[in-house]
Amino acid sequence: MQQMGKRYNFEEIESRWQKYWEDKKLYKTVEREDKEKYYVLEMFPYPSGALHMGHVRNYSIGDVVARFKRMQGYNVLHPMGWDAFGLPAENAAIKHGTPPSQWTWQNIANMKQQLKTLGLSYDWDREIATCHPDYYRWTQWIFLQLYHNGLAYKAKAPVNWCPSCCTVLANEQVVGEGRCERCGTIVKKRDLEQWFFRITNYAEELLRDLDKLPGWPEKVKIMQRNWIGRSEGVEINFRTEEGDPIPVFTTRHDTVFGATYLVLAPEHPLVEKLIRGTEFEKPVREFVEKVRQMDYIQRTSTELEKEGMFTGAYAVNPLNNEKIPIWVANYVLMEYGTGAVMAVPAHDQRDLEFAKKYGLPIKIVVQPKEGEKLDEGSLKEAFAEEGISVNSGLISGLPTAEAKEKIADYIEEKGLGKRKVNYRLKDWLISRQRYWGAPIPIIYCDRCGIVPVPEKDLPVYLPEDVEFKPTGESPLKYRSDFLNTTCPECGGSAVRETDTMDTFVCSSWYFLRYTSPHEKDRPFDKEKVDYWMNVDQYIGGVEHAILHLMYARFLTKVLRDLGYVSVDEPFQNLLTQGMVLKDGAKMSKSKGNVVTPEEIISEYGADTARLFILFAAPPERDLEWSDEAVEGCYRFLNRVWRLVTRYTDDLKEIRDYNEILLNTSEEKNFNRLMHATIKKVTEDIEKRFNFNTAISAVMEFVNGTYDYIENTQSENLNLPLLKKAFTNLILLMAPFTPHIAEELWVRIGNEPSVHEQSWPKYDEEALKTQMVTMIVQVNGKVRGRMEVSVDTSEEEIKEKAMELENVKNHIKGKKVLKAIVVPNKLVNFVVK
RNA sequence: GCGGGAGUGGCGGAAUUGGCAGACGCGCUAGACUUAGGAUCUAGUGAGCAGUGCUCGUGGGGGUUCAAAUCCCUUCUCCCGCACCA
């Protein structure tokens, strides 16, 4: 360990300054009017037990933003907390016998310690944990506000059930091919009575307001638009011969005259009625049963052969009173539209395939504007584009757009249906049959029915000393002290709801709680929320593009409509950071490619860990871990350390270094580099969050400083200039590597803290030069370069360029047709 | 299938407005200092021809332009999201 003496002692330095900052409450934030506010927030972690590199990346990015904005004079809110309810705590309880509460709080303590070793500038006084009664009481309060305003309701519906997690899931939590977002198990459909939030009331606004978020990645907005899935069309009232209504939703109402049959989803309630007592009863029922048995993957696969069966019944097309057969088929979904579609085989590919398979008629009602006319007999592919309506009564001869308008008007006039906007978005299922979550504040009374818990009785405490049974059921079901209560309305005996809320409810408002985390009588102080909101910069993983980010937008809008907050949107700007990879794959225990923050911090220190993770790739991109590159970052910090500490004795005493005399050209160049570096680093952070290039600029500046020193006799060193350079270097490094910056700041003769200093400014004048290097090209190829003064005329530039030996060689014997001069950059001779 | 992103040295990446391709870092090569080097410093490092210049070079092909990693057309590969949405 001989070489350790030559390396800087990060262990001692980092722990000392972390303690200092904490003792001085350096990052404590209060509302103030003399500074502009800036709210920077990173998605709070689930306390799984230990930090991983993804956390380090997320929080390092946030910390650079926070520190940078603070130095720029903003009043910065930078809080941290815990998304502390959730299933892993229960699984751990079952496995190890530790109660979820204890397990969670232990993990929080451990991870908080780890976060502190990273030197992140949080205001820890604002720490929150969603599993604390002081927090979840207000989650319950929010539930009640939704309930009282018709936005929370209980309904029986076919819901997604994860057999492994033993709970239902929201649609958003079913990913990929119908798998549980958490454990990957294939979900099953079950008819259950559950609590929902009426997010569909906000579908239109959630969609529209995406346009108010230019600071969000386009990718995320597209994903949300897709998820909301708005489509405009008409609901047309078909009916059976007996007169039972069968509304169908279509976006191609202009093709209604081409409907040759009608299809019901297997789950459609009318199916049973149509077949009862007929010869079709048995086969159709068998078919329906077969389809319902299929799991989500099979059912929604595009590979799935379209299959169906005639019900024996007929429907009447209200537009032309034509009788068309009613079928049941596996390609119609009960969840979308009305669960019934009018089939227009000529103009819909799915209908065409189905019609061909079962010999159903095909009727062309739209012809392309140009090209060959379609023919029923030879139709290979459905013509789904716009064209001209034919054989369509009142809309024949009209182009699609006009035909749609006219037929929609007609349908509405005659009462045959109405225009409708359909959304794919479904209401948010928030019930969970799990223990470790915020209890839904509802009481069931035999006499009064569903009774909300009065606000004064909140919180509904979650009992913490619980035992788990191997059945997978929530322990709450067996806790009579929890279960049995009295009805708030009639005083009679009643029972509590034992389901808890989806943890995404808890995380949909935590950013509001940070603004006034100790509020006793309200979820948050409106004045403080109004002061801080919205979040200026939100940072987190793209995996929350729909889930968390849409739920949080929804609840913000609800709370706005109820008068509790003033903003329409919670997150003004969103940065979705890339993953941390090793050997091209996401770090995971099963792949054995995990590098833990702990080992890196203990070997190289937090500053090196932060520097590497910020330097190795721009924040939005995936980052490939490299042990060698970490080593390189550590080397760089040592290089800075040696550079600055070598001169601390000389520089300590220098107090006057604001007006610096620049004598030699070395000094002038060095000074220019210093200002150019400030400019580059500032703009890279501010405009683009390109920390990697900002850091590379700092590295170049360090290299330039070494060059200046090498090229100058030590007795001739301009010490005030050097002091200024070191001062700026340290200030520029402060957001990235806060500990070494603080230590060096003090060592060159300042009082702590460097993190309370102003961000350095560059001098536009100092950037100017008299001489520039110009590129000389012949036919676009570089043939030489030359030094010219900045005010050289185009004529002079051309003349001078022509005199270059190598340029002469390439022009010789040829004719100069043209010369393009880009001032201070290049000159290009076009020759032949 | 639809939508989005990416493709640049041995590697991570840079090139911000169409103007020097490869900044910065890793790795590698040689040298210096050294008892030693997994420390530090110096020089070099896209490929080829070769000796200081030339040719080629940003997934492939074509085009626009005095000039293209950057703009247009076309094509291939990889990653992500959605996927019978009527």
Side-chain angles (χ1 to χ4, degrees):
Chain A
M1 288 289 123
Q2 198 181 341
Q3 67 263 41
M4 286 306 285
K6 295 181 185 170
R7 300 297 191 93
Y8 87 102
N9 187 348
F10 61 82
E11 267 172 332
E12 189 274 325
I13 290 167
E14 291 184 355
S15 61
R16 178 157 45 80
W17 287 115
Q18 282 162 15
K19 183 165 187 311
Y20 177 88
W21 298 331
E22 194 169 343
D23 290 347
K24 293 273 171 179
K25 290 212 175 278
L26 203 70
Y27 308 119
K28 187 167 174 58
T29 306
V30 292
E31 297 71 31
R32 44 197 285 183
E33 292 308 322
D34 59 326
K35 286 180 170 186
E36 210 179 318
K37 72 93 185 178
Y38 191 91
Y39 188 175
V40 54
L41 181 66
E42 301 111 50
M43 290 179 184
F44 65 165
Y46 178 78
S48 56
L51 287 187
H52 54 68
M53 283 301 173
H55 292 127
V56 176
R57 190 171 194 199
N58 194 172
Y59 307 144
S60 297
I61 292 167
D63 201 48
V64 172
V65 176
R67 289 179 187 276
F68 175 70
K69 287 289 173 184
R70 234 179 253 125
M71 290 175 81
Q72 279 195 324
Y74 290 88
N75 189 28
V76 171
L77 177 59
H78 188 215
M80 180 43 72
W82 310 96
D83 186 12
F85 274 136
L87 206 44
E90 287 184 59
N91 294 337
I94 293 161
K95 207 168 165 188
H96 303 117
T98 325
S101 162
Q102 193 190 325
W103 184 85
T104 303
W105 287 109
Q106 269 170 8
N107 288 348
I108 287 175
N110 186 36
M111 287 174 76
K112 186 173 175 180
Q113 192 45 48
Q114 292 185 321
L115 284 180
K116 287 192 170 180
T117 64
L118 276 168
L120 303 164
S121 61
Y122 295 124
D123 178 358
W124 281 108
D125 289 349
R126 291 175 185 262
E127 180 182 6
I128 57 173
T130 58
C131 67
H132 195 287
D134 288 350
Y135 186 91
Y136 70 70
R137 124 180 235 170
W138 299 113
T139 306
Q140 293 171 336
W141 179 89
I142 286 171
F143 176 93
L144 292 177
Q145 305 314 304
L146 269 78
Y147 180 81
H148 292 309
N149 288 281
L151 292 168
Y153 65 94
K154 198 174 194 195
K156 189 166 184 175
V159 295
N160 307 298
W161 172 266
C162 173
S164 165
C165 297
C166 297
T167 185
V168 296
L169 302 169
N171 282 351
E172 289 78 13
Q173 287 153 34
V174 179
V175 297
E177 305 160 310
R179 290 173 186 277
C180 171
E181 179 240 353
R182 195 174 292 281
C183 68
T185 308
I186 292 168
V187 303
K188 296 231 175 335
K189 285 282 177 189
R190 271 200 183 183
D191 278 325
L192 291 171
E193 209 176 335
Q194 299 286 307
W195 285 95
F196 291 88
F197 281 172
R198 218 178 279 285
I199 193 172
T200 52
N201 273 20
Y202 286 81
E204 190 62 39
E205 201 193 337
L206 287 168
L207 178 70
R208 181 162 32 86
D209 282 0
L210 288 172
D211 297 335
K212 288 188 190 167
L213 300 171
W216 278 41
E218 207 52 44
K219 175 191 170 83
V220 172
K221 289 191 279 186
I222 287 166
M223 282 167 75
Q224 291 211 359
R225 279 190 199 107
N226 267 333
W227 189 260
I228 294 166
R230 183 185 197 274
S231 60
E232 277 181 27
V234 173
E235 200 170 285
I236 304 174
N237 301 319
F238 282 67
R239 54 187 68 245
T240 64
E241 284 183 300
E242 283 73 38
D244 287 313
I246 313 179
V248 303
F249 176 74
T250 177
T251 55
R252 286 303 300 269
H253 28 290
D254 59 306
T255 64
V256 65
F257 291 93
T260 55
Y261 62 104
L262 197 142
V263 196
L264 301 178
E267 294 88 348
H268 198 286
L270 207 56
V271 172
E272 188 59 29
K273 187 175 176 188
L274 294 178
I275 57 173
R276 192 171 304 141
T278 72
E279 54 179 305
F280 298 94
E281 182 167 357
K282 195 164 172 260
V284 170
R285 216 174 258 164
E286 276 170 12
F287 171 74
V288 167
E289 206 36 51
K290 187 179 114 189
V291 175
R292 296 188 79 156
Q293 287 302 313
M294 283 192 221
D295 66 36
Y296 203 96
I297 292 187
Q298 299 168 309
R299 182 79 188 267
T300 57
S301 162
T302 7
E303 317 282 272
L304 182 69
E305 178 79 13
K306 287 176 184 36
E307 276 189 278
M309 205 158 268
F310 181 43
T311 61
Y314 287 85
V316 178
N317 183 337
L319 272 300
N320 57 10
N321 292 317
E322 234 172 66
K323 218 176 89 174
I324 54 174
I326 301 174
W327 284 63
V328 182
N330 61 357
Y331 73 95
V332 175
L333 308 168
M334 194 59 219
E335 301 92 83
Y336 187 76
T338 62
V341 301
M342 63 176 206
V344 185
H347 306 293
D348 182 288
Q349 189 57 32
R350 295 155 301 176
D351 296 343
L352 182 67
E353 283 169 31
F354 194 80
K356 285 195 163 174
K357 177 166 177 178
Y358 292 103
L360 290 156
I362 297 164
K363 188 177 162 192
I364 287 165
V365 290
V366 182
Q367 287 289 358
K369 283 188 176 143
E370 290 156 9
E372 253 178 78
K373 292 271 175 273
L374 305 171
D375 173 70
E376 267 103 9
S378 62
L379 201 63
K380 292 231 160 50
E381 280 201 349
F383 177 69
E385 280 119 86
E386 305 212 332
I388 307 288
S389 288
V390 295
N391 298 323
S392 295
L394 73 161
I395 55 168
S396 289
L398 293 179
T400 299
E402 284 174 47
K404 277 184 173 179
E405 283 304 304
K406 188 162 182 185
I407 197 75
D409 286 342
Y410 179 81
I411 288 169
E412 288 188 333
E413 257 167 52
K414 299 283 174 188
L416 307 175
K418 56 183 187 301
R419 284 185 170 84
K420 201 176 173 196
V421 178
N422 221 316
Y423 299 92
R424 244 163 356 205
L425 179 70
K426 294 280 168 275
D427 277 342
W428 176 13
L429 195 172
I430 57 119
S431 302
R432 294 293 178 271
Q433 290 69 49
R434 303 303 320 176
Y435 155 75
W436 190 235
I440 295 173
I442 287 289
I443 290 166
Y444 300 105
C445 170
D446 283 340
R447 267 187 287 178
C448 309
I450 294 176
V451 182
V453 173
E455 282 182 25
K456 66 174 172 53
D457 294 343
L458 294 181
V460 176
Y461 280 104
L462 188 65
E464 300 204 342
D465 52 328
V466 288
E467 267 183 63
F468 284 86
K469 307 216 164 168
T471 55
E473 277 180 299
S474 165
L476 292 181
K477 293 201 159 187
Y478 304 99
R479 284 291 290 245
S480 57
D481 58 336
F482 176 85
L483 204 56
N484 298 320
T485 183
T486 53
C487 171
E489 279 181 14
C490 71
S493 66
V495 293
R496 289 191 189 279
E497 169 68 66
T498 55
D499 282 357
T500 54
M501 279 185 255
D502 181 2
T503 56
F504 280 106
V505 180
C506 308
S507 57
S508 289
W509 72 282
Y510 77 109
F511 43 91
L512 302 173
R513 182 72 181 174
Y514 279 140
T515 65
S516 40
H518 308 297
E519 198 58 53
K520 287 270 180 283
D521 310 320
R522 318 168 262 196
F524 42 80
D525 179 339
K526 176 147 200 303
E527 252 181 54
K528 291 186 173 168
V529 161
D530 285 348
Y531 174 84
W532 287 112
M533 286 297 284
N534 42 20
V535 174
D536 294 274
Q537 185 63 56
Y538 199 30
I539 306 158
V542 74
E543 66 274 16
H544 291 108
I546 293 170
L547 291 157
H548 164 59
L549 289 169
M550 202 168 60
Y551 296 147
R553 294 181 63 219
F554 162 61
L555 267 193
T556 300
K557 288 174 190 299
V558 171
L559 292 171
R560 174 206 59 195
D561 287 346
L562 300 179
Y564 296 108
V565 300
S566 304
V567 293
D568 292 327
E569 286 288 337
F571 314 122
Q572 192 61 48
N573 296 292
L574 174 69
L575 178 82
T576 51
Q577 106 243 5
M579 289 188 295
V580 181
L581 309 176
K582 175 108 193 283
D583 311 320
K586 193 177 174 176
M587 288 184 183
S588 76
K589 275 185 204 142
S590 59
K591 291 199 190 74
N593 60 348
V594 177
V595 181
T596 69
E598 262 179 332
E599 56 189 293
I600 297 303
I601 292 169
S602 71
E603 197 170 348
Y604 300 102
D607 282 339
T608 296
R610 294 169 55 127
L611 188 68
F612 165 73
I613 222 158
L614 294 163
F615 177 60
E620 323 78 50
R621 282 234 283 231
D622 286 349
L623 178 154
E624 176 68 29
W625 186 268
S626 157
D627 291 325
E628 291 83 5
V630 173
E631 189 87 37
C633 287
Y634 184 49
R635 266 202 306 257
F636 170 72
L637 291 181
N638 277 294
R639 193 164 144 83
V640 173
W641 179 264
R642 285 192 306 272
L643 174 66
V644 177
T645 53
R646 188 169 141 200
Y647 293 99
T648 46
D649 289 342
D650 300 324
L651 297 182
K652 253 183 196 158
E653 303 314 317
I654 292 171
R655 294 274 163 235
D656 187 17
Y657 52 90
N658 279 317
E659 295 296 318
I660 301 160
L661 286 175
L662 301 172
N663 303 309
T664 65
S665 64
E666 280 78 15
E667 289 174 13
K668 283 176 191 155
N669 287 336
F670 180 44
N671 184 62
R672 190 181 315 114
L673 174 65
M674 178 175 77
H675 287 277
T677 304
I678 296 170
K679 181 177 174 156
K680 168 95 176 134
V681 174
T682 307
E683 289 177 356
D684 279 355
I685 298 177
E686 196 160 45
K687 293 187 181 162
R688 314 191 299 162
F689 287 144
N690 277 9
F691 307 126
N692 55 331
T693 50
I695 291 165
S696 82
V698 173
M699 289 172 167
E700 283 179 83
F701 181 45
V702 170
N703 293 343
T705 307
Y706 270 101
D707 286 347
Y708 166 68
I709 290 170
E710 298 269 324
N711 296 328
T712 309
Q713 300 281 330
S714 58
E715 63 271 23
N716 293 336
L717 278 177
N718 184 335
L719 289 178
L721 176 60
L722 203 57
K723 174 119 181 187
K724 185 79 187 167
F726 285 178
T727 301
N728 282 325
L729 170 66
I730 291 163
L731 290 169
L732 293 177
M733 287 175 68
F736 304 103
T737 52
H739 311 87
I740 193 173
E742 187 79 286
E743 179 70 16
L744 293 175
W745 178 254
V746 171
R747 289 204 184 204
I748 62 167
N750 300 298
E751 291 299 312
S753 164
V754 69
H755 303 294
E756 292 176 313
Q757 306 305 311
S758 292
W759 188 251
K761 291 197 166 45
Y762 61 90
D763 178 4
E764 206 59 70
E765 279 303 305
L767 293 176
K768 290 185 179 159
T769 57
Q770 278 93 50
M771 302 298 284
V772 286
T773 305
M774 284 187 71
I775 299 303
V776 184
Q777 297 181 334
V778 179
N779 284 343
K781 295 205 161 84
V782 182
R783 299 302 181 191
R785 54 200 70 210
M786 57 186 189
E787 292 281 309
V788 295
S789 62
V790 286
D791 47 8
T792 314
S793 73
E794 286 204 12
E795 279 313 308
E796 273 181 84
I797 287 168
K798 286 183 206 168
E799 276 172 35
K800 208 171 164 203
M802 294 268 208
E803 283 162 23
L804 293 174
E805 206 53 43
N806 197 36
V807 173
K808 272 192 208 159
N809 291 339
H810 283 90
I811 293 181
K812 194 159 47 187
K814 290 174 181 160
K815 205 173 155 194
V816 178
L817 301 175
K818 207 176 358 169
I820 291 121
V821 178
V822 182
N824 298 332
K825 276 196 175 152
L826 65 77
V827 51
N828 185 14
F829 295 108
V830 185
V831 303
K832 208 178 167 183

